[in-house]
Amino acid sequence: MSTVGHRPSPTGRITIGRTTFVRTAQLAAFSAGATAATAIAAAGLLYGQARQARRIIPLAEAPPPRCDGLYGARLPGKPLTMVVLGDSSAAGYGVHRPRETPGALLATGISRRLRRPVRLHRLAVVGARSEGLVPQVEAAVELRPELAVILIGGNDVTARTPVDVAVGHLVDTVRRLRAAGTEVVVGTCPDLGAIKPIQPPLRWLARRWSRQLAAAQTVAVVEAGAWTVSLGDLLGPRFAAEPTRLYSWDRFHPSAEGYAVAAAVLLPAALGALGASTASRTAVAGREKVRTLPQAAHEAVRHAGTEVRGTRVGGHERGPAGRWARLRRRPALSGRSWQTVALRWLLGPSGAGVERETDHPQQPMPTGSQPGLSTTAQDC
């Protein structure tokens, strides 16, 4: 008698034949094996792409130029103290001159718009992850700064730091600074999926991981009383049109013009956090909207250059769906027009050079180094 198919049991219930059961088990085992093989193959592909990206992006050979010093020294008033924390994007890795670093650009822009000197301290460290903010903030609070700008997250993505761990270190840093009376602006994690040496499917995963971290950073930082600006793929679309202008020669870190574009979207938030008048912020004003904080974070990661800060609606910080947040999106500019606007917004109509009294001599580039020399994908 065949054991294939269903058979009635003595109790009247339908039972599965032994052969059918064996074939089902074999099919399940085959499917599990195929899934495991696919997962292993995918992991191997991603590992190979990561190794290829590391080979394409060269190792660091020189530190970024020091930009510490007094900006706008001839202006009246007590200097405003500003600190820059984070990784190599905060330090300005990939440029030669101190005046090309984001810290110098921001200090210059703030000095010119507030008409007062700005003393800049760059505490950012090349290769830092969010956990590396701990010693940086300890040094920062001793300086009692009025403003702190933080750029962090890229290395957490490449190191696959858990989002809650990375965000926890960032929020602790923001809270310590806010408790010390410092205004804080955070440039959230850039979109590593916009980096050309990273190929699909690793690029797609990098984009997803970057956006997840950026959204979590936005929610946590605004809850802690600071401002955020999404950097996202700020340079990505323009890189396709002008790859030699906005990125360094390694195609990973921004060039001097790329940093100018990034600093231009950070400057209005910095001025706003310092309580500058509306007139000081209207050159690249953009449109404002009010959303719940989670909604604002979601929109910000999809639109680079979006500023998010806490706000009140009807006198209340929170509504039924959580804290209220105000978004300000910058106008969509492209190509050289955006670069021109960025430089004029930062340095004034003449685009004049940065005037500062340096605290540190510029460190020479090593023999054999190349313009825009940068570091690895893990140490951004």
Side-chain angles (χ1 to χ4, degrees):
M1 184 176 183
S2 174
T3 58
V4 178
H6 300 132
R7 298 181 301 176
S9 67
T11 61
R13 296 179 180 176
I14 301 296
T15 61
I16 300 177
R18 179 172 54 82
T19 303
T20 302
F21 177 81
V22 170
R23 290 181 178 177
T24 302
Q26 290 174 339
L27 179 60
F30 176 79
S31 299
T35 301
T38 301
I40 292 172
L45 175 61
L46 295 174
Y47 178 74
Q49 288 182 330
R51 292 187 61 184
Q52 181 181 12
R54 294 189 191 102
R55 287 195 298 267
I56 293 173
I57 301 170
L59 295 172
E61 295 184 14
R66 296 298 307 186
C67 57
D68 301 57
L70 185 64
Y71 292 76
R74 298 178 182 178
L75 295 172
K78 179 183 177 181
L80 180 152
T81 301
M82 170 183 168
V83 294
V84 177
L85 290 72
D87 53 28
S88 62
S89 62
Y93 214 101
V95 298
H96 282 241
R97 302 173 181 84
R99 67 171 180 262
E100 297 170 336
T101 61
L105 291 167
L106 287 169
T108 302
I110 292 171
S111 174
R112 294 189 176 185
R113 274 153 187 81
L114 298 186
R115 304 303 300 167
R116 62 181 293 190
V118 174
R119 182 167 294 279
L120 173 66
H121 299 272
R122 193 210 79 195
L123 304 175
V125 176
V126 174
R129 287 180 276 180
S130 293
E131 64 181 357
L133 292 172
V134 176
Q136 294 181 34
V137 74
E138 290 176 354
V141 293
E142 293 181 0
L143 298 169
R144 303 189 66 83
E146 284 90 344
L147 174 67
V149 176
I150 305 174
L151 305 177
I152 198 74
N155 295 317
D156 291 292
V157 171
T158 59
R160 298 299 297 127
T161 303
V163 170
D164 59 338
V165 173
V167 172
H169 287 298
L170 175 58
V171 170
D172 288 344
T173 298
V174 172
R175 287 174 177 164
R176 288 194 62 182
L177 290 166
R178 295 292 294 131
T182 302
E183 299 295 339
V184 183
V185 174
V186 175
T188 57
C189 181
D191 183 357
L192 298 189
I195 306 300
K196 294 302 180 180
I198 303 176
Q199 299 297 318
L202 182 60
R203 181 188 299 173
W204 303 330
L205 288 175
R207 171 168 286 115
R208 179 183 177 186
W209 295 334
S210 300
R211 291 185 174 185
Q212 287 176 340
L213 179 56
Q217 287 176 326
T218 300
V219 172
V221 166
V222 173
E223 285 279 11
W227 300 45
T228 65
V229 178
S230 63
L231 299 182
D233 62 345
L234 183 67
L235 305 182
R238 299 171 184 87
F239 177 84
E242 299 181 277
T244 61
R245 294 182 63 88
L246 295 181
Y247 276 73
S248 298
W249 71 284
D250 67 353
R251 299 189 298 164
F252 187 80
H253 291 84
S255 65
E257 291 182 348
Y259 279 124
V261 171
V265 299
L266 289 165
L267 180 58
L271 291 171
L274 290 169
S277 65
T278 304
S280 298
R281 308 178 63 214
T282 55
V284 190
R287 296 176 298 172
E288 289 195 349
K289 297 184 291 185
V290 174
R291 296 283 189 271
T292 63
L293 183 51
Q295 290 174 334
H298 179 69
E299 287 192 33
V301 297
R302 293 188 292 112
H303 301 286
T306 300
E307 169 191 304
V308 182
R309 66 189 189 277
T311 192
R312 292 175 177 269
V313 175
H316 300 284
E317 287 188 351
R318 297 180 180 276
R323 180 159 186 165
W324 294 112
R326 187 175 297 275
L327 290 85
R328 181 189 292 266
R329 285 182 57 187
R330 306 301 165 197
L333 300 176
S334 61
R336 296 184 181 181
S337 63
W338 181 213
Q339 296 162 29
T340 300
V341 169
L343 291 171
R344 287 183 176 177
W345 171 231
L346 287 162
L347 305 180
S350 64
V354 176
E355 175 189 341
R356 71 164 183 156
E357 293 180 359
T358 181
D359 292 336
H360 299 275
Q362 183 175 353
Q363 299 177 359
M365 296 291 288
T367 304
S369 64
Q370 302 184 43
L373 190 62
S374 190
T375 184
T376 64
Q378 294 109 320
D379 298 329
C380 63

